[in-house]
Every structure is written in C-alpha cells, then in structure tokens.
Amino acid sequence: MRSASRRRTTKQSTKEGTKLTLKKKGGTFALMGVVSLALLIGVLTNIGVQSQQGKANSQAQPTAKGLSSDDEATPIVNSTSQNVGDEKRENKNRRHNHGGLDVAESPGDSTEVVVSSESSMPDFPFKLSDLVVGGTVTDSNAFLSADRTGVYSEYTVAVSDLIKSPADSTVRKHDSITAERFGGRVRFPSGQIVRYKVIGRGSPVKNTKYIFFLRKVDADSYLILTAYELRGNQAFALDGSRVNRGRGDWPFDKHNGQDLTSFKKNLDKAFKGESNETYKVY
C-alpha cells in the first residue's frame, strides 16, 4: 500500500520511546511514545499527521458515492465520552494509548486528520490474517483511547462464512465477532465533527456484507486488515482509491466492480497459495 502524500518526519531515539517531529500547518509539534498496538499490528510505518481541508482540497477526488458513504459510515464518539467502570472497555482504551493524535477541535473548515502510512500488503492478505470470514456488519461504535491520543472504531460482524479459521478458533457460523480499525469521528462540544483516519482505509457500512481479513488483537477482538464489500453480483474494495483523496495505486483496486464468480476464483487461488508472489511487510 502506498501513500498518496507523505510528510517528512524526524525520528530520534530516546529512553522513553521514539520521538516523531511532525510538520503541520501553522507550526511544528512533537509526539512522544510508541505507536498504538493497533497501528503496529496494522503494519503502519512512517507515520505523519496532516490536516486536510475536505471541501477545499484541490486534488483529484474519488467518486462522491464512495467518499460520502464512507464518511457517513464512520461511527462518532463524543470528545467528552468516558467509560469509567467498564473494565473491559477501559482495557481496550488503554491498548490504544500513544496513538499519535492530537484529539482537539480543528481551526477553520478542517474536518479531517489523516494519518499517512507506507506499508506493503497484498490484495488478499491471507498470510497476515488469523481469521478470514464472510459476514454482515450489524453495529458500529467509535471510542477514544484512555490518554486521548487515539481514536478507534469497532464493528460487530455476524459471521456467515468461514474462509480461513485456525483449528483452535472458537468462531463458528452465525457467531458475532468484534472487528476494529484505527480511526473514527469525534464530536466536540461546539458541534464540530472531525474525522481521524488512515489514508486509503475505509469504514464498513452497517447492514452490508463483506469478506473480512482479520488479525487477532485480544481475546475477543480482531483488527481489520482489509475487506471487500459483496454488493449484488459484484465485489468492491473497502480500501484503496475509492476512499483516498488524491491519486493512488492500490492492490485492492483491481477488484472494484469485479463479478463475484471471478472474485471468488481469485480468492480461492490466493487461499490455496497458487501465487508465487512474495510480499514484504515493513
């Protein structure tokens, strides 16, 4: 996966962790600590944060349908939200600490904070996935990390098909599982809503069926590596150019609009390891 735009970052090794000096409009600021587990597992590197002017962006835009539906599907959390007393949720929130974000109202018309990344992932990342399922999204919610430097979204998935499942997995057909992804929308007291996202990564839509590639992150949660929407007799990538502001060349794009028969043949071929291509994740 290649980022459509990159920011220079200056890294310095410190006893406390990695120091990232990020350049942003209006000044320079430093973020201390390690990147959240969700980002590490999501094979993100070279992290930069940049504010984007959504409506004033002069770069080429994807179709309005793809971008607007993705924004609408992204769950919202209030900036004042707390989960005190819910031990399970508090543990998850702490897991997303050191997310590298400054969760605060944005000046002017800025409505997005985009985390850029550079990583390599195949269109069907079976080797990186602990679980690959077909399922329908029945619910979605956004949460803040305990230290307010991370935002993440959880999606409840009703499993209808098991494509890759380890022998010791307890997941069965008709079970509901929790899949998560870095990012979400935050509503501030003023009413402003700011979306935090990774460039080129979309949000699953409720009441929609997908093929999910998942990596386990704790006892009952999985990280979404990527997914494909099954719409009618076609498949569409959750990630890639469909949701990327600006240009991009993504391995997922080749499956957009692909008929389900061809898509499933490609999926089966990748699962059986008939491709000799080697992918490096860094």
Side-chain angles (χ1 to χ4, degrees):
M1 189 184 297
R2 290 182 283 274
S3 168
S5 62
R6 302 175 184 171
R7 292 274 178 173
R8 288 188 176 182
T9 65
T10 303
K11 296 187 177 182
Q12 295 179 346
S13 177
T14 69
K15 292 182 180 180
E16 293 81 10
T18 301
K19 179 178 181 181
L20 302 180
T21 303
L22 310 176
K23 290 191 175 180
K24 184 180 180 182
K25 291 180 181 178
T28 301
F29 59 92
L31 300 174
M32 298 296 298
V34 296
V35 182
S36 68
L37 176 61
L39 288 179
L40 290 175
I41 293 178
V43 295
L44 304 180
T45 59
N46 298 334
I47 296 173
V49 178
Q50 54 184 338
S51 294
Q52 291 192 350
Q53 303 292 333
K55 295 181 180 179
N57 194 327
S58 61
Q59 292 178 313
Q61 300 287 324
T63 63
K65 180 180 179 182
L67 189 59
S68 63
S69 63
D70 185 65
D71 285 336
E72 293 170 3
T74 305
I76 301 176
V77 61
N78 290 325
S79 63
T80 56
S81 175
Q82 296 184 7
N83 297 285
V84 179
D86 185 341
E87 183 178 358
K88 183 177 178 180
R89 178 57 57 195
E90 288 177 354
N91 289 335
K92 286 191 175 184
N93 291 346
R94 283 193 291 270
R95 174 158 58 77
H96 287 269
N97 283 347
H98 310 298
L101 299 177
D102 178 17
V103 180
E105 294 187 61
S106 296
D109 296 326
S110 181
T111 59
E112 280 192 347
V113 174
V114 177
V115 177
S116 62
S117 69
E118 186 171 342
S119 61
S120 176
M121 187 184 296
D123 51 342
F124 297 136
F126 278 106
K127 292 182 180 180
L128 301 175
S129 303
D130 296 313
L131 187 69
V132 181
V133 302
T136 300
V137 177
T138 60
D139 197 12
S140 62
N141 294 280
F143 302 92
L144 293 169
S145 66
D147 65 359
R148 296 304 200 259
T149 65
V151 183
Y152 68 102
S153 296
E154 287 189 345
Y155 302 87
T156 302
V157 178
V159 177
S160 57
D161 303 283
L162 291 172
I163 299 171
K164 176 185 175 181
S165 178
D168 60 351
S169 174
T170 60
V171 177
R172 300 289 182 267
K173 286 185 179 181
H174 311 302
D175 284 351
S176 287
I177 61 175
T178 299
E180 66 180 50
R181 173 155 269 195
F182 177 86
R185 290 188 289 173
V186 179
R187 182 189 291 111
F188 295 94
S190 67
Q192 183 186 49
I193 296 175
V194 178
R195 183 180 178 186
Y196 299 84
K197 61 180 286 187
V198 176
I199 192 169
R201 297 196 175 194
S203 298
V205 180
K206 286 196 289 186
N207 303 315
T208 303
K209 185 174 182 178
Y210 295 85
I211 300 295
F212 285 101
F213 290 82
L214 306 168
R215 179 171 287 187
K216 194 167 186 177
V217 290
D218 61 27
D220 59 358
S221 297
Y222 293 85
L223 181 77
I224 299 174
L225 297 181
T226 196
Y228 291 89
E229 177 187 348
L230 304 183
R231 187 194 314 163
N233 64 345
Q234 294 178 296
F236 296 88
L238 174 65
D239 303 327
S241 295
R242 184 185 67 85
V243 294
N244 181 38
R245 283 192 167 92
R247 295 172 296 175
D249 180 15
W250 308 76
F252 322 107
D253 292 347
K254 59 188 174 186
H255 299 295
N256 280 327
Q258 189 174 36
D259 69 89
L260 281 185
T261 300
S262 298
F263 176 78
K264 289 179 179 179
K265 285 182 179 179
N266 291 156
L267 192 70
D268 185 59
K269 180 179 179 180
F271 180 59
K272 292 178 179 178
E274 294 179 3
S275 172
N276 293 320
E277 293 181 89
T278 301
Y279 298 91
K280 178 183 178 182
V281 178
Y282 55 94

